[in-house]
Amino acid sequence: MSVGLPSWEKLIEHMEDELGLDRATADMPEPSYQALAEYYRLKHGSIGSLRSWMDREWSVSRKNVKGSAIHELIVSLDFPIIYTTNYDRNLEVAFELHDRPFVKVANAKDIAKVNGEATQIIKYHGDFDDDASLVLAESDYFERLSFDSPLDVKFRADALGRTILFIGYSMSDMNIRLLLYRLWETWRRSGYEKNRPKSFVFMPQPSVVQEAVLGRWGIDMLTEEADRPEDALVTFLSKLKDKIDQG
């Protein structure tokens, strides 16, 4: 949203309009966007038209991406691997604008393109260029809960011996929470939990509940005080870059 993307609320409103649902009289409790997307697929036979709308609506100008301090910092921090649940191409555009090499991975075929030099941008929930890769409807999320897809296998391998920094993830997303739990469980069962590299999650607002639960799973919470979440993230990433530059 910091570069002009619509909110999830706008996605929900569009699906309700397309499906002819009256928001004022919708069944309670309100369905999640995943459930709405599942209903959309049932009614239309596929999510192809929804994906096309999202692709158009979520197209951000290169100028906006170039002016994004968050994207510039992400590129300049030179992460070897970036996992994103976003479907859009803004990360790829940012790397292109700053003339930094990258390889996009959205499916099993793309994994073969990975090399040791370019930053890997892993489209963990899919990419607009490949409808089949999108994790959008409820059944898509349920299928991912088994964590045995090629991208899940890759994540477990990538994450096992590395420090991970989680940015911008909703800690209410059960896919993400189960992923974090299973990563901790793998180390715990190995008998070498004390040797696990530290991992971190950045959240714009502190939460004693999340801090305790995530801390149990070996993930430290980091926060910054700011009026807007994007300002907090810019401050955090800037401090991180300064620390790295100082060695």
Side-chain angles (χ1 to χ4, degrees), residues 66-167:
K66 187 173 184 178
S68 167
I70 291 175
H71 286 81
E72 181 179 2
L73 284 164
I74 289 174
V75 174
S76 65
L77 280 163
D78 199 27
F79 296 110
I81 306 174
I82 299 174
Y83 278 79
T84 177
T85 55
N86 292 348
Y87 315 116
D88 59 72
R89 304 182 182 90
N90 293 333
L91 272 177
E92 298 94 296
V93 169
F95 273 78
E96 291 171 355
L97 290 171
H98 294 285
D99 197 28
R100 299 292 287 272
F102 71 92
V103 57
K104 180 181 74 174
V105 178
N107 50 47
K109 179 182 68 175
D110 293 338
I111 294 176
K113 299 185 296 185
V114 170
N115 60 56
E117 300 176 0
T119 294
Q120 301 172 38
I121 299 179
I122 316 297
K123 308 298 283 286
Y124 195 61
H125 279 181
D127 181 75
F128 283 142
D129 291 336
D130 180 7
D131 282 7
S133 71
L134 295 180
V135 178
L136 179 60
E138 195 170 53
S139 59
D140 302 328
Y141 279 84
F142 290 159
E143 288 172 6
R144 290 303 294 271
L145 286 175
S146 63
F147 290 107
D148 59 2
S149 76
L151 291 189
D152 292 316
V153 173
K154 176 172 170 53
F155 177 83
R156 290 200 299 272
D158 287 342
L160 194 58
R162 287 183 170 92
T163 290
I164 310 169
L165 171 62
F166 292 90
I167 293 174

Side-chain angles (χ1 to χ4, degrees), residues 36-52:
L36 276 173
E38 191 72 38
Y39 184 58
Y40 189 101
R41 177 184 281 161
L42 291 171
K43 297 292 286 186
H44 292 271
S46 76
I47 61 168
S49 58
L50 178 62
R51 195 277 308 164
S52 297

Side-chain angles (χ1 to χ4, degrees), residues 20 22 31 39 55 63 72 101 112 153 170 173 175 185 238 242 245:
D22 185 351
Y39 184 58
D55 198 358
K63 180 180 178 181
E72 181 179 2
V153 173
S170 171
D173 187 323
N175 279 112
E185 183 75 353
S238 297
D242 290 342
D245 291 344

Side-chain angles (χ1 to χ4, degrees), residues 180-235:
L180 297 179
Y181 171 79
R182 287 192 172 180
L183 185 61
W184 167 74
E185 183 75 353
T186 298
W187 273 102
R188 189 184 67 81
R189 290 183 176 181
S190 74
Y192 296 99
E193 187 178 356
K194 293 182 179 179
N195 299 99
R196 176 186 174 185
K198 291 294 295 181
S199 288
F200 305 89
V201 58
F202 173 79
M203 299 185 72
Q205 298 292 333
S207 167
V208 293
V209 174
Q210 297 287 19
E211 185 174 10
V213 174
L214 295 173
R216 176 72 177 91
W217 298 342
I219 301 169
D220 289 350
M221 182 182 295
L222 306 172
T223 61
E224 288 286 346
E225 291 187 9
D227 292 334
R228 301 187 306 165
E230 54 264 39
D231 294 336
L233 181 55
V234 168
T235 299

